[in-house]
Amino acid sequence: MVYGALIGSPLGDEFAVLLPRVRTMIAVFYVGLFAMSFDFVSGYTGYLSFGHAMFYGTGAYLVVMAANGALPLVGAETSFMTLLVVAALLGAAFALLVGSVSFRLTGVYFAMVTLGFAEVAHVFIRNWDRVSDNPRDGAAVTSPDGFAIGVPGVDDLQWSIGRLVGDSVENAFGLGIELGTAELSYYLIGAVTLLCYLALQRVLHSPFGRVMVAVRENEERARAVGYDTFRYKMGAFAISGAFAAVAGALFAGYRRSVAPSSTFDLFVTADALLASIIGGFGTLAGPLYGHLFHETVGDMLTTESGGLARYLRETLPESLLTADVAGMEVVTVVNVLIDGRAELYLGLIFIAFVLFVPRGLLGTLRDRLGGTVAEAAAERLRRWSP
């Protein structure tokens, strides 16, 4: 399924190999939000948080354990919107706890301390019997009901999200469009991600955000002019942890299951770091585009039906597939160089970005435009206006 399927546009199957699927885009939203929260503190203060997955996992496990009645204060009757708020508060609280120790250090020592906290949390969650009978394998939501996003207290403005629950919705949002669960989840999770992005953007454009950048550029000078940089760093870390937990809650609400390897693992933070490098550190929106780029390439090189290799095998004529190229048939070349080689090419792309595009996609675009895309567009409109 492709973007055009969301609005009923007949793009045709030939475009499916070039565009990510709806389910992939849903993952791009919640992982992109997590990557933006990582960039908020790491890209704007200069402090790399290698333990950021701890906050993501906190939000995810909160949702699943609350739905299964494994927590004392929030239970299965708690609305998902309330759980998002609780996840944000819990993520901020843990960030303050970790930051109170970690921000006594700088540079690689800060990164290693945050990583140490994350590893402790990882080991704890893998052995916490309250999670499930086998906490190493994670936990799944036992209730058949889905999690709903919408206006709290208004039943008609609540829509379920999830991979396995919910029916198609006729006349969605009053637009006469019928949406399935995947498409509805796409719009709802996308809306929450957009609101979170706007909130983070508002903070960055406030005086608080200006001090964050000052800390990144020259912390000694910022301290010399009278700013309590420790408090500002703690505040930035708390905000970052809050939105990372919201991203984890969205992940759990959609997937309806969690596991230590998909939430608290170091490689979860590595995904955010990779997205930030590809999209551009210190751009906020860049990590979302970076993860979109990562997932799009992965989808193109997948072995599944939407992958490029299978598409070529099914659409190229038999005469071309059996043609000889350097002693091998074309179909063999496709199988060897394309089919299932996503990780190989993604690794090469990552190296290329580090060497040749250090500012990332969005950062390089801003350098070319001389400012943000919005600023450049506004300037063009002013030039064209009478």
Side-chain angles (χ1 to χ4, degrees):
M1 192 174 295
V2 295
Y3 291 130
L6 294 175
I7 56 176
S9 175
L11 288 177
D13 293 338
E14 64 271 14
F15 289 95
V17 70
L18 301 176
L19 297 175
R21 301 165 184 80
V22 174
R23 296 181 185 276
T24 300
M25 280 303 303
I26 295 171
V28 167
F29 282 139
Y30 57 70
V31 176
L33 176 57
F34 172 61
M36 284 192 289
S37 73
F38 173 83
D39 185 55
F40 181 82
V41 66
S42 298
Y44 286 90
T45 68
Y47 283 80
L48 285 173
S49 173
F50 280 178
H52 224 62
M54 174 173 53
F55 312 127
Y56 183 76
T58 296
Y61 269 84
L62 169 74
V63 168
V64 171
M65 293 178 69
N68 291 342
L71 296 177
L73 300 180
V74 288
E77 71 285 351
T78 306
S79 70
F80 184 62
M81 299 300 291
T82 302
L83 289 177
L84 290 180
V85 175
V86 175
L89 295 175
L90 198 58
F94 280 144
L96 289 173
L97 179 63
V98 173
S100 63
V101 176
S102 304
F103 280 119
R104 306 294 176 179
L105 304 169
T106 59
V108 67
Y109 302 105
F110 171 85
M112 290 299 100
V113 169
T114 57
L115 176 60
F117 274 107
E119 285 303 301
V120 170
H122 190 190
V123 172
F124 173 77
I125 206 69
R126 291 179 64 213
N127 294 277
W128 192 24
D129 294 337
R130 196 178 187 88
V131 172
S132 67
D133 293 335
N134 191 357
R136 290 177 180 269
D137 295 333
V141 176
T142 56
S143 170
D145 298 329
F147 297 101
I149 292 178
V151 180
V154 183
D155 293 338
D156 292 339
L157 296 179
Q158 299 278 341
W159 297 278
S160 295
I161 62 171
R163 293 190 303 172
L164 305 174
V165 298
D167 300 320
S168 61
V169 178
E170 297 181 0
N171 192 29
F173 312 119
L175 300 177
I177 302 173
E178 182 176 350
L179 298 178
T181 305
E183 290 84 359
L184 198 59
S185 298
Y186 168 87
Y187 284 112
L188 294 172
I189 294 176
V192 174
T193 301
L194 176 61
L195 290 175
C196 291
Y197 165 75
L198 293 175
L200 289 170
Q201 194 72 264
R202 181 80 282 278
V203 174
L204 290 176
H205 285 83
S206 68
F208 182 91
R210 303 299 182 191
V211 177
M212 288 173 57
V213 175
V215 169
R216 180 189 66 191
E217 298 300 324
N218 194 321
E219 185 174 352
E220 292 295 330
R221 182 176 296 176
R223 190 182 298 115
V225 298
Y227 291 112
D228 187 345
T229 57
F230 180 78
R231 286 191 176 185
Y232 280 95
K233 290 185 295 185
M234 288 286 287
F237 203 42
I239 295 171
S240 177
F243 284 98
V246 170
L250 290 173
F251 160 78
Y254 175 70
R255 298 288 295 270
R256 295 177 56 80
S257 64
V258 292
S261 60
S262 61
T263 51
F264 281 90
D265 197 89
L266 170 62
F267 288 104
V268 177
T269 301
D271 286 340
L273 177 62
L274 180 62
S276 298
I277 291 174
I278 293 176
F281 258 114
T283 59
L284 191 61
L288 189 145
Y289 294 114
H291 190 67
L292 172 61
F293 179 87
H294 180 279
E295 290 299 314
T296 301
V297 174
D299 268 2
M300 287 178 60
L301 300 176
T302 183
T303 58
E304 299 177 3
S305 59
L308 179 60
R310 184 172 294 189
Y311 174 79
L312 293 174
R313 288 194 296 264
E314 293 175 353
T315 57
L316 293 179
E318 186 69 22
S319 59
L320 180 57
L321 288 174
T322 56
D324 184 80
V325 176
M328 292 190 299
E329 293 183 343
V330 171
V331 65
T332 303
V333 175
V334 170
N335 292 338
V336 172
L337 296 182
I338 300 177
D339 200 6
R341 298 294 185 264
E343 297 302 322
L344 169 64
Y345 291 111
L346 286 171
L348 294 175
I349 289 171
F350 175 70
I351 294 173
F353 267 93
V354 172
L355 294 177
F356 305 111
V357 196
R359 290 275 293 149
L361 294 172
L362 192 56
T364 301
L365 179 61
R366 289 180 177 180
D367 289 344
R368 294 290 180 88
L369 295 175
T372 66
V373 177
E375 291 171 346
E379 179 62 26
R380 292 290 178 87
L381 289 175
R382 281 195 293 268
R383 291 179 182 177
W384 293 341
S385 62

